């Protein structure tokens, strides 16, 4: 580029680098200034500079308003000589609504070089340079150039294009750093969830790096994403992974103090508990909000949230996460995906559903309550519901009658009929236990009225 400029000057035979008295010509001064700014910009690329620094430098050198905008026209940073960043941003904000600017951004992105928009209804022309990071164009550098303050249009174009290159270097470096930090963070979270720490001290260091506060109780949430049965294979997995990424973004804004990690089609969350809201309410509310939001964004994905028991020390995270995962698997087996369930609310279900085959559980329930479920078709659901309420109310006909809104004698009659139909003696501890377990099985598989 410099050779091309120098060659054009040599071709101008009537023009010499210096005047008749050895004075430096304006062209040489402009070239020297351009080289100096290029060196300054290149120096920023190897320093810990950000894109705002580049924007301010170009604004000072070109006496123009300079901004970096995203492809969606969001202003990432802006600068103007003698103006605050907010005033400069407002000036650019008034500009980016012009319909022609979007066309120029698209053209610059395809051409991979700076372009000039002569007039967008303002006193300045606009130079647009794509900021390239590999094959991506994550941003654009805009220079609103008046061309009347000693900086030529060609110089402004060259400076804008070179500045966009430096911004691409900076953004690329930030991406690499962010990716490395994300990998390190994911490794630390994985270590906590799996309990890979060699000792308590190492686990504590990992937790502190992630912002874990041992002064508060925490709950671990496992948010599992399952695509609809019709979407199987890679398409279903890809959809679930997109939902997981959206869940991470949503949870980060709703719970900035949480430790969040995406694991394929699952999101693991270590969430501080707020004691004034109850031990589980924050985890349950956040889980419910996440399920609702994902239902809006991804109606073909079922989000199931399992919440582990409370943990105070970081060494307890592994157990709480295992409980959250078991809760999710239990809810899935019960055919109730899409719910928020705490491990403590599973009760005996978490033991019953360890049986590999649900048919075996149903077989036991049929053996105990089969006569009740098979006969008296009209009354069977009533008898089952009465029996379940009777057990919940500690075998008290009076309390059960208040819940069922019937007379206590009606409850007593129905319990007697249950004993007659099933052959159970509910006064016997063994028979009563079998009946309760059978009801829990039916509840787990969704067959209790």
């Amino acid at each position: 580029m410099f050779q091309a400029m120098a060659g054009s000057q040599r071709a101008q035979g009537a023009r010499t680098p210096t005047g008749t008295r050895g004075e430096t010509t304006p062209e040489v001064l402009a070239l020297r200034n351009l080289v100096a700014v290029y060196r300054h910009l290149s120096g920023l690329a190897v320093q810990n500079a950000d894109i705002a620094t580049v924007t301010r430098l170009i604004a000072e050198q070109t006496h123009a308003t300079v901004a970096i905008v995203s492809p969606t026209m969001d202003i990432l940073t802006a600068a103007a000589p003698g103006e605050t960043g907010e005033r400069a941003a407002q000036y650019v904000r008034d500009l980016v609504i012009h319909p022609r600017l979007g066309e120029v951004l698209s053209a610059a992105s395809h051409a991979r070089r700076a372009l000039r928009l002569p007039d967008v209804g303002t006193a300045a022309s606009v130079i647009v340079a794509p900021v390239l990071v590999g094959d991506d164009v994550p941003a654009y550098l805009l220079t609103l150039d008046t061309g009347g303050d000693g900086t030529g249009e060609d110089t402004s174009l060259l400076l804008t294009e070179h500045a966009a290159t430096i911004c691409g270097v900076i953004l690329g470096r930030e991406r690499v750093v962010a990716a490395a930090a994300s990998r390190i963070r994911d490794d630390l979270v994985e270590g906590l969830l799996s309990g890979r720490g060699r000792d308590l001290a190492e686990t504590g260091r990992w937790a502190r790096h992630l912002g874990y506060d041992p002064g508060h109780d925490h709950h671990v949430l496992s948010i599992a994403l399952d695509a609809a049965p019709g979407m199987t294979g890679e398409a279903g997995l890809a959809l679930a992974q997109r939902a997981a990424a959206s869940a991470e973004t949503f949870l980060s804004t709703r719970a900035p103090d949480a430790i969040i990690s995406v694991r394929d089609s699952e999101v693991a969350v270590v969430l501080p508990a707020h004691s004034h809201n109850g031990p589980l309410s924050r985890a349950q509310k956040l889980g419910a909000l996440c399920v609702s939001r994902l239902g809006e964004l991804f109606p073909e994905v079922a989000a199931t949230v399992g919440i582990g028991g409370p943990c105070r020390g970081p060494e307890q995270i592994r157990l709480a996460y295992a409980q959250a995962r078991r809760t999710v698997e239990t809810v899935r087996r019960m055919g109730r995906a899409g719910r928020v369930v705490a491990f403590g609310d599973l009760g005996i279900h978490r033991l019953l559903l360890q049986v590999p085959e649900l048919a075996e559980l149903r077989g036991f329930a049929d053996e105990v309550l089969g006569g009740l479920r098979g006969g008296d078709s009209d009354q069977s659901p009533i008898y089952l519901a009465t029996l379940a309420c009777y057990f919940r109310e500690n075998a008290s006909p009076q309390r059960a009658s208040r819940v069922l809104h019937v007379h206590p004698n009606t409850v007593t009659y129905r319990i007697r009929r249950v004993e007659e139909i099933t052959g159970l003696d509910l006064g016997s501890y063994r028979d009563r236990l079998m009946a309760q377990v059978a009801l829990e099985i039916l509840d787990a598989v969704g067959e209790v009225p």
Side-chain angles (χ1 to χ4, degrees):
M1 182 166 53
F2 293 142
Q3 292 175 351
M5 293 182 63
S8 64
Q9 289 182 348
R10 286 195 299 269
Q12 298 172 2
R15 181 177 298 173
T16 60
T18 59
T20 57
R21 297 182 180 180
E23 297 176 352
T24 304
T25 63
E27 290 83 356
V28 173
L29 288 174
L31 182 59
R32 289 177 178 174
N33 184 57
L34 183 64
V35 171
V37 178
Y38 266 40
R39 288 175 176 171
H40 194 165
L41 284 170
S42 300
L44 293 178
V46 298
Q47 300 171 9
N48 192 25
D50 56 15
I51 57 176
T53 304
V54 176
T55 303
R56 288 194 298 270
L57 175 62
I58 298 302
E60 293 169 359
Q61 293 298 323
T62 60
H63 306 283
T65 299
V66 180
I68 296 179
V69 302
S70 71
T72 56
M73 301 295 190
D74 295 320
I75 300 172
L76 305 180
T77 184
E83 300 289 351
T84 63
E86 180 54 38
R87 292 192 63 178
Q90 184 57 51
Y91 182 40
V92 177
R93 199 171 289 116
D94 295 338
L95 165 72
V96 297
I97 62 175
H98 196 283
R100 289 180 59 194
L101 185 59
E103 299 174 4
V104 175
L105 292 181
S106 178
S109 177
H110 285 91
R112 291 293 199 266
R113 62 184 180 85
L115 299 176
R116 183 187 298 278
L117 182 61
D119 180 16
V120 290
T122 67
S125 62
V126 178
I127 300 171
V128 176
V131 177
L132 302 175
V133 179
D135 294 330
D136 297 333
V137 182
Y140 297 88
L141 181 65
L142 308 182
T143 300
L144 281 67
D145 181 28
T146 60
D149 293 316
T151 302
E153 291 185 351
D154 291 339
T155 301
S156 295
L157 189 68
L158 291 172
L159 281 178
T160 301
E161 194 162 46
H162 188 61
T165 301
I166 300 304
C167 287
V169 173
I170 293 173
L171 290 179
R173 181 183 65 214
E174 291 177 352
R175 281 190 177 186
V176 171
V177 172
S182 178
R183 285 195 298 270
I184 294 173
R185 177 182 173 84
D186 288 344
D187 288 343
L188 291 175
V189 176
E190 183 67 26
L192 288 179
L193 297 177
S194 62
R196 288 205 309 257
R198 290 190 296 266
D199 51 42
L200 292 180
E202 184 175 53
T203 302
R205 286 194 299 272
W206 292 354
R208 286 194 297 274
H209 283 310
L210 293 168
Y212 185 90
D213 183 3
H216 293 87
D217 284 343
H218 290 69
H219 286 97
V220 180
L221 289 75
S222 172
I223 304 173
L225 292 312
D226 298 301
M231 299 191 64
T232 58
E234 294 184 0
L237 178 60
L239 180 62
Q241 289 174 340
R242 289 200 301 273
S246 295
E248 180 188 25
T249 302
F250 176 81
L251 293 167
S252 298
T253 58
R254 292 293 182 135
D257 56 343
I259 300 171
I260 305 170
S261 177
V262 176
R263 316 175 87 208
D264 291 329
S265 58
E266 179 205 18
V267 182
V269 184
V270 182
L271 181 70
H274 290 171
S275 57
H276 59 278
N277 289 331
L280 270 180
S281 61
R282 188 188 188 201
Q284 290 170 330
K285 289 178 181 177
L286 185 64
L289 286 173
C290 185
V291 169
S292 175
R293 182 57 176 163
L294 291 177
E296 297 172 357
L297 298 177
F298 301 92
E300 296 177 323
V301 174
T304 305
V305 181
I307 304 174
C311 54
R312 173 61 65 93
E315 72 281 356
Q316 299 173 350
I317 292 177
R318 179 187 63 82
L319 175 60
Y321 175 63
Q323 293 174 344
R325 288 292 301 270
R326 283 180 59 191
T327 302
V328 169
E329 293 305 320
T330 299
V331 173
R332 281 170 164 170
R333 289 198 68 194
M334 292 166 64
R336 301 179 184 181
R339 298 191 180 187
V340 180
V341 181
F343 180 75
D345 292 340
L346 290 177
I348 196 174
H349 291 174
R350 65 177 183 259
L351 298 178
L352 294 175
L353 292 176
Q354 298 306 307
V355 177
E357 296 294 334
L358 289 181
E360 295 183 16
L361 294 176
R362 287 195 177 95
F364 175 81
D366 287 339
E367 182 180 338
V368 176
L369 300 174
L372 180 63
R373 298 180 68 205
D376 288 344
S377 58
D378 293 339
Q379 296 298 314
S380 291
I382 296 176
Y383 291 157
L384 280 173
T386 301
L387 181 61
C389 182
Y390 178 74
F391 283 143
R392 284 196 301 269
E393 298 303 324
N394 296 318
S396 170
Q398 289 76 21
R399 287 198 295 269
S401 68
R402 288 194 291 269
V403 174
L404 297 171
H405 304 290
V406 297
H407 194 276
N409 291 342
T410 302
V411 175
T412 302
Y413 168 77
R414 292 176 182 174
I415 296 301
R416 189 183 307 117
R417 285 291 298 146
V418 167
E419 291 179 319
E420 293 172 356
I421 294 171
T422 62
L424 295 170
D425 177 8
L426 297 182
S428 165
Y429 168 78
R430 180 177 179 276
D431 285 6
R432 187 167 63 250
L433 178 60
M434 287 197 303
Q436 288 178 302
V437 171
L439 283 172
E440 291 292 345
I441 291 172
L442 295 180
D443 180 54
V445 298
E447 295 182 12
V448 170

